[in-house]
Amino acid sequence: MKIDKIFKNNEEWVQQKLTLDKDYFKNLSKGQDPDILYIGCSDSRVTAEELMGVAPGDAFVHRNIANMVPNTDLSAMSVIDYAVVYLKVKHIVVCGHYYCGGVKAAMESADLGILNPWLRNIRDVYRIHKDELNAITDEDAKYKRLVELNVQEQCINVIKTAEVQSAYIDRGIKVHGWVFDVHSGKLIDLKIDFAKVMEDVMEIYRLKK
Ligand code: CO
């Protein structure tokens, strides 16, 4: 991909949008009111808007290696705060994906420098679910299951925040765990029992009376 091509693509895209609606960008510049906060992986194959079929303005997006929500990560915590408190999103999605390089790296024994503390969060997910994962003999199946369990644990990290707990009590905000299957292009809803997870998490992490 040549960098100059990107600017040509952009020109064509602007023209396409204006042909359909001459006020498209004028309206876009008025502000944003997205219903969804999407937290996904930085992986170049897992686009946020394209795989969900949504337009600019529909989703507030945060991406990092392996779609993590570390409790002390200022970036992730700021995104959640802004999306929940100011944009008042109705849904928070954590979307992982099969064949995630970050999850794969966390399954292997290697010193990866600055990536070590980041990937350690995934190793923590493995430790929490060690019995289930160690019982899976097929490596590919184990890898896929860790991707799913990581999504589940990151959803729990989302629920641990005071902003999300308040929004749940006040206006019933929902948290969803999804996986994108790069091999088929399909988006899979892990159907996490949100009410039950919320109850379990709140038993220990409740910040709101
Ligand atoms: Co990934």
Side-chain angles (χ1 to χ4, degrees):
M1 159 82 54
K2 292 225 170 69
I3 289 291
D4 289 350
K5 179 83 171 74
I6 288 172
F7 287 89
K8 203 166 166 358
N9 291 347
N10 172 257
E11 270 173 36
E12 286 169 13
W13 177 72
V14 169
Q15 282 314 315
Q16 269 173 20
K17 291 289 179 195
L18 293 177
T19 306
L20 291 169
D21 176 4
K22 68 178 172 43
D23 293 327
Y24 185 80
F25 294 103
K26 201 172 132 196
N27 289 332
L28 210 55
S29 67
K30 285 177 185 160
Q32 58 169 337
D33 186 23
D35 282 341
I36 302 168
L37 163 60
Y38 169 99
I39 300 170
C41 184
S42 297
D43 192 302
S44 59
R45 301 165 298 177
V46 189
T47 60
E49 288 84 354
E50 199 172 352
L51 73 85
M52 292 193 288
V54 301
D58 288 341
F60 199 62
V61 173
H62 180 69
R63 291 170 71 180
N64 60 35
I65 293 174
N67 42 270
M68 304 302 290
V69 186
N71 301 304
T72 54
D73 180 51
L74 195 55
S75 178
M77 291 301 123
S78 302
V79 166
I80 291 172
D81 182 86
Y82 188 73
V84 173
V85 177
Y86 297 95
L87 296 174
K88 301 208 180 308
V89 294
K90 298 180 180 77
H91 304 273
I92 301 177
V93 169
V94 177
C95 184
H97 68 104
Y98 295 139
Y99 313 102
C100 181
V103 172
K104 184 83 184 160
M107 285 177 76
E108 289 162 358
S109 303
D111 181 352
L112 296 167
I114 190 66
L115 278 171
N116 290 338
W118 192 259
L119 297 178
R120 198 171 296 139
N121 295 303
I122 309 172
R123 291 182 202 270
D124 289 341
V125 173
Y126 196 109
R127 181 171 51 78
I128 293 166
H129 298 278
K130 185 170 64 129
D131 293 344
E132 182 187 340
L133 289 164
N134 284 348
I136 304 171
T137 48
D138 180 74
E139 274 304 305
D140 202 44
K142 187 189 286 192
Y143 178 18
K144 284 186 164 176
R145 187 61 186 141
L146 181 55
V147 164
E148 294 170 2
L149 290 169
N150 184 45
V151 166
Q152 187 180 305
E153 290 301 324
Q154 302 320 311
C155 286
I156 289 171
N157 283 344
V158 168
I159 296 169
K160 285 176 191 170
T161 65
E163 296 92 327
V164 173
Q165 291 180 14
S166 286
Y168 177 68
I169 293 163
D170 297 345
R171 56 188 180 85
I173 195 171
K174 289 198 173 60
V175 179
H176 311 264
W178 297 349
V179 169
F180 176 69
D181 184 357
V182 179
H183 196 257
S184 68
K186 291 228 166 91
L187 196 54
I188 301 155
D189 185 352
L190 295 178
K191 295 199 167 63
I192 293 167
D193 186 345
F194 177 60
K196 186 174 181 311
V197 171
M198 194 77 192
E199 209 175 283
D200 289 350
V201 171
M202 294 286 259
E203 187 187 335
I204 298 165
Y205 298 96
R206 183 183 297 273
L207 300 173
K208 294 281 162 182
K209 290 225 171 87

